Amino acid sequence: MKPNKKQDTRQNLDLKSQFKKVDTGVKNGIFIFSSPLSVEQFATKIDKSASEILKYFFLKGRMLTLNTMLTEEEIGELCLEYNYDFEKRVEVDETNVLSNIKIQDEANTLKPRPPIVTIMGHVDHGKTTLLDYIRHAHVARGEAGGITQHIGAYQITYKNEKVTFIDTPGHAAFTEMRARGANITDIVVIVVAADDGIKPQTEEAIDHAKAAKVPIIVFINKMDKPNVKPDKVMTQLSEKGLLAEEWGGTTITIKGSALTGEGVDKLLEGILAVAEVSEYKANPNRLAMGVVIESNIDKGFGPVATVLIKNGTLTKGDFIIAGSAFGRVRVMVDENLHDVGIAYPSQPVKIMGLSEPPVAGEHFIVSTNEKDIKEIAEKIRLHKLMLNRQSDNLTHSENVDGIKTLNVILKTDVHGSLEAIKNMLSKTEVEGAKLQIIRSAVGGITESDVTLAKASKAVIIGFNIKPIRATREIAQSQQVKILFYDIIYKLSEDIQNLLLGELSPIYEEQETGEAVIQQLWSHSAVGVIAGCLVQNGEMNRNDSARVLRDGKVIVNTKIGSMKHLKEVVNKITAGMECGVTLEKYNDVKVGDIIQTYRLVAKKRTT
């Protein structure tokens, strides 16, 4: 139950009290600034002539004008030239107040909170399997769905202690959130396969965790397999500065198997041990503030956001702001879609009632002053619009030097993936070619996307997104290429090849059939049986399969079994009904679409 507003004793934060103006200029021999300055502005601030500064740069071979904006490095260089120390301070206004909130809770108001853990590692080393095992083993029976869903975050209970796990789309998204100041993770668990050792992605994960300055625990996975070499892994880890406790170091290192559960209890005990030493605390007696983990637009509910409470408590009915999104929390549920009346520090919840889906990594805060919230949200929206227009002006500028341009339309299932992929694509460089994102958004691939791609000769990229059959057929008729991915680094490789003009996949996905689920039955031996009507093509027993819900890929798996009129069959064609089971997946719903496909070998051409 949400507290009665008259009885609500939670501390409220006046957002406008956080605003801070920076007076640029020299104070006590220190040049203080907050934003870029032109040559003329800088000269005025230090009481020098602009021509003197222009001459300084001219003698160093740099031609500047009065209106040239000086970089931070150039401001620092000039300060040293004129014998000033320098200091950059953050000016806080409506556009950045949410990420620059400074509060100091009294010690007696702080209470212990659960640790927040992110699991990272190489794509094939068992991160997903470990997350799935932990969730299935430590939540109520029947509540845990497959981790391949975008649940964003969830809590488990182990030995009467709660632990929050964050499921990020990848290392890029982890760093993208940190870049926004969203340091949500207390502990990072690095997963390394005992039979494979450290890979480039593992090194990347370690680097990201070190940059976040949080404790690192290593889980050496797949110890159930033959030919494992855990000592070799530990040697590799020591070379990366992670010396195991059993070798005299300080890094908690656990050997085990995410498949069998071996070592998982020790891992959880290690997490709780780190949490006990670190004493993570928060003040539950204030209005909530925290970070957006994930967001999307739900066909039935509108904007939906998964948020993590960092401080305070969140209740239904609270008025919230997250970037340019704002609104009253109308619905609040946990990862199992159970109604939640109040959410505490370190707790992840899904909320509905916002004006738009906020960007992953945005800070949010609850306030009783709805007028201020709406005003600040509008200022943030206008600021983003201005930045986007500036970016568009740069992105769409004509290039007359014969540089090849690859136009891309990017559609993803959630905001976290969208931001991470955009960030990755912006750093993709090939001499003589450039990449231009002409549209990027969360949601399914539509006919409008195909029309734009045709007009601009663009490639459509779908990440964990699949178009309906009608849209695919239009794309084929218009000869618009649509590429589908569920792994960011594979997308990166293919984009690099596209820019080089060399992409012709070694394996091409060939869709074979499509069926709609009409009924569901439960069977004690095989799990959930989906009663389907095959709408297109033919479904084969050995085909790979994906489940689509509202155009989004819920899971990638394989056909487990197929029956027609109680007889086991290997093939079902369009117009026929059948009973289907999926390997290791039961969370299907009536109305879901099952698409079957196979990978067909193709020659790579240049």
Side-chain angles (χ1 to χ4, degrees):
M1 290 291 293
K2 184 182 78 64
N4 185 300
K5 288 296 178 183
K6 292 181 180 178
Q7 301 172 349
D8 195 343
T9 59
R10 294 175 297 166
Q11 298 175 40
N12 180 45
L13 179 67
D14 178 10
L15 283 174
K16 289 191 174 180
S17 71
Q18 296 285 307
F19 290 179
K20 184 171 67 175
K21 187 77 175 173
V22 174
D23 293 326
T24 304
V26 179
K27 295 181 181 178
N28 300 321
I30 302 172
F31 182 75
I32 297 169
F33 66 104
S34 64
S35 58
L37 297 168
S38 68
V39 169
E40 187 173 37
Q41 289 171 330
F42 181 82
T44 301
K45 296 289 184 183
I46 66 168
D47 196 23
K48 299 289 182 182
S49 69
S51 60
E52 185 178 337
I53 292 173
L54 292 175
K55 180 181 178 182
Y56 168 83
F57 283 112
F58 176 77
L59 293 175
K60 289 182 173 290
R62 286 180 273 177
M63 297 292 292
L64 274 59
T65 68
L66 291 177
N67 295 322
T68 299
M69 300 305 292
L70 298 168
T71 65
E72 286 186 35
E73 290 76 12
E74 288 169 336
I75 290 174
E77 182 181 341
L78 287 169
C79 286
L80 293 175
E81 174 68 16
Y82 291 107
N83 297 315
Y84 296 126
D85 286 334
F86 56 93
E87 178 185 343
K88 184 178 181 181
R89 295 179 182 174
V90 176
E91 187 163 286
V92 181
D93 58 16
E94 291 91 346
T95 64
N96 65 352
V97 64
L98 297 179
S99 55
N100 287 286
I101 290 173
K102 305 293 182 186
I103 59 169
Q104 188 66 48
D105 286 304
E106 297 293 332
N108 61 358
T109 65
L110 299 176
K111 306 295 180 186
R113 64 168 178 82
I116 302 167
V117 181
T118 297
I119 297 182
M120 304 172 73
H122 185 69
V123 68
D124 296 323
H125 283 190
K127 177 177 81 81
T128 300
T129 306
L130 179 59
L131 281 163
D132 217 3
Y133 184 91
I134 290 171
R135 185 165 187 243
H136 277 85
H138 296 285
V139 298
R141 184 179 298 276
E143 288 185 347
I147 201 73
T148 45
Q149 301 178 60
H150 257 292
I151 58 173
Y154 62 88
Q155 270 191 344
I156 63 131
T157 301
Y158 180 75
K159 293 186 175 180
N160 296 320
E161 299 287 343
K162 292 185 182 297
V163 179
T164 298
F165 287 92
I166 305 296
D167 180 29
T168 61
H171 308 153
F174 178 85
T175 299
E176 190 69 18
M177 293 180 79
R178 282 189 54 246
R180 294 194 185 96
N183 294 313
I184 59 173
T185 303
D186 298 318
I187 301 167
V188 168
V189 173
I190 304 289
V191 179
V192 189
D195 63 338
D196 202 18
I198 286 183
K199 294 293 183 181
Q201 269 195 311
T202 319
E203 294 183 1
E204 181 182 306
I206 292 170
D207 291 341
H208 286 305
K210 284 182 174 179
K213 297 180 180 178
V214 295
I216 297 173
I217 298 175
V218 177
F219 186 75
I220 300 178
N221 192 26
K222 302 190 180 183
M223 289 296 292
D224 57 307
K225 297 184 71 174
N227 304 317
V228 295
K229 299 176 182 178
D231 285 351
K232 179 182 177 181
V233 174
M234 289 168 68
T235 299
Q236 292 175 325
L237 288 168
S238 66
E239 291 169 354
K240 292 292 295 180
L242 300 177
L243 186 62
E245 284 183 332
E246 61 185 275
W247 283 12
T250 58
T251 302
I252 297 175
T253 306
I254 295 109
K255 304 182 186 74
S257 166
L259 196 62
T260 67
E262 175 193 352
V264 174
D265 279 353
K266 288 184 179 178
L267 173 62
L268 294 173
E269 287 166 5
I271 290 170
L272 292 180
V274 171
E276 184 178 3
V277 172
S278 301
E279 296 186 321
Y280 303 120
K281 293 184 178 182
N283 176 9
N285 192 35
R286 68 160 52 251
L287 296 177
M289 56 185 66
V291 177
V292 176
I293 299 295
E294 207 46 276
S295 70
N296 67 296
I297 299 177
D298 186 278
K299 188 175 181 180
F301 295 100
V304 178
T306 300
V307 301
L308 181 69
I309 318 299
K310 287 291 287 180
N311 204 7
T313 52
L314 180 67
T315 70
K316 282 199 291 187
D318 281 346
F319 208 79
I320 187 173
I321 178 173
S324 56
F326 66 92
R328 195 174 295 283
V329 178
R330 305 292 183 190
V331 177
M332 185 162 66
V333 297
D334 63 17
E335 65 272 15
N336 301 308
L337 301 183
H338 293 164
D339 187 67
V340 177
I342 184 167
Y344 297 95
S346 294
Q347 185 174 352
V349 286
K350 285 189 176 182
I351 62 171
M352 301 163 207
L354 292 172
S355 57
E356 61 186 65
V359 175
E362 286 278 18
H363 295 258
F364 79 83
I365 187 168
V366 169
S367 175
T368 57
N369 194 324
E370 296 182 21
K371 181 175 177 292
D372 280 358
I373 280 185
K374 291 178 179 179
E375 180 184 319
I376 291 169
E378 178 63 12
K379 289 286 182 65
I380 292 173
R381 187 188 70 80
L382 292 174
H383 181 65
K384 286 181 177 179
L385 188 62
M386 180 191 71
L387 293 178
N388 287 339
R389 283 174 177 168
Q390 291 174 351
S391 176
D392 287 343
N393 290 338
L394 291 173
T395 304
H396 293 91
S397 59
E398 293 295 323
N399 193 306
V400 295
D401 297 325
I403 293 178
K404 176 182 175 182
T405 299
L406 174 65
N407 290 328
V408 169
I409 295 172
L410 174 63
K411 302 299 287 287
T412 69
D413 55 343
V414 290
H415 262 300
S417 301
L418 185 74
E419 294 301 314
I421 293 170
K422 284 172 64 179
N423 184 49
M424 179 270 294
L425 292 178
S426 70
K427 297 175 182 175
T428 303
E429 295 182 355
V430 170
E431 187 175 353
K434 68 174 182 177
L435 183 143
Q436 184 168 285
I437 300 176
I438 61 174
R439 174 183 288 173
S440 62
V442 170
I445 297 169
T446 65
E447 293 181 25
S448 171
D449 296 322
V450 175
T451 302
L452 177 60
K454 176 67 175 178
S456 54
K457 299 180 181 178
V459 172
I460 300 175
I461 294 176
F463 189 80
N464 277 337
I465 286 290
K466 285 283 181 176
I468 60 175
R469 189 172 188 85
T471 304
R472 293 201 308 273
E473 289 174 350
I474 291 172
Q476 289 170 359
S477 68
Q478 297 290 323
Q479 295 183 312
V480 170
K481 184 187 287 290
I482 307 179
L483 303 176
F484 306 108
Y485 298 92
D486 55 11
I487 299 175
I488 289 181
Y489 83 85
K490 183 65 175 74
L491 188 162
S492 176
E493 289 178 357
D494 284 1
I495 288 296
Q496 193 87 9
N497 286 328
L498 272 172
L499 284 170
L500 290 167
E502 295 181 350
L503 181 65
S504 179
I506 295 176
Y507 289 95
E508 183 174 82
E509 186 181 290
Q510 183 182 83
E511 292 180 3
T512 55
E514 187 172 277
V516 60
I517 298 176
Q518 298 180 321
Q519 299 180 66
L520 296 173
W521 300 276
S522 293
H523 191 286
S524 58
V526 298
V528 174
I529 301 170
C532 302
L533 173 65
V534 181
Q535 296 179 313
N536 300 290
E538 62 180 35
M539 297 173 63
N540 293 275
R541 167 67 180 81
N542 296 321
D543 284 348
S544 296
R546 65 175 69 90
V547 178
L548 274 67
R549 185 174 299 154
D550 297 328
K552 297 181 181 179
V553 178
I554 302 301
V555 68
N556 281 287
T557 180
K558 292 181 70 69
I559 297 292
S561 63
M562 290 196 307
K563 283 188 177 183
H564 176 63
L565 300 177
K566 297 186 178 180
E567 290 192 11
V568 176
V569 293
N570 290 322
K571 181 171 70 175
I572 295 287
T573 57
M576 298 177 66
E577 294 182 335
C578 59
V580 173
T581 64
L582 299 173
E583 288 188 2
K584 299 179 181 179
Y585 192 77
N586 289 319
D587 288 347
V588 289
K589 294 182 179 180
V590 172
D592 286 351
I593 301 294
I594 298 177
Q595 286 184 351
T596 56
Y597 63 95
R598 63 184 64 141
L599 297 178
V600 180
K602 294 287 183 180
K603 291 183 180 179
R604 184 180 291 279
T605 60
T606 57

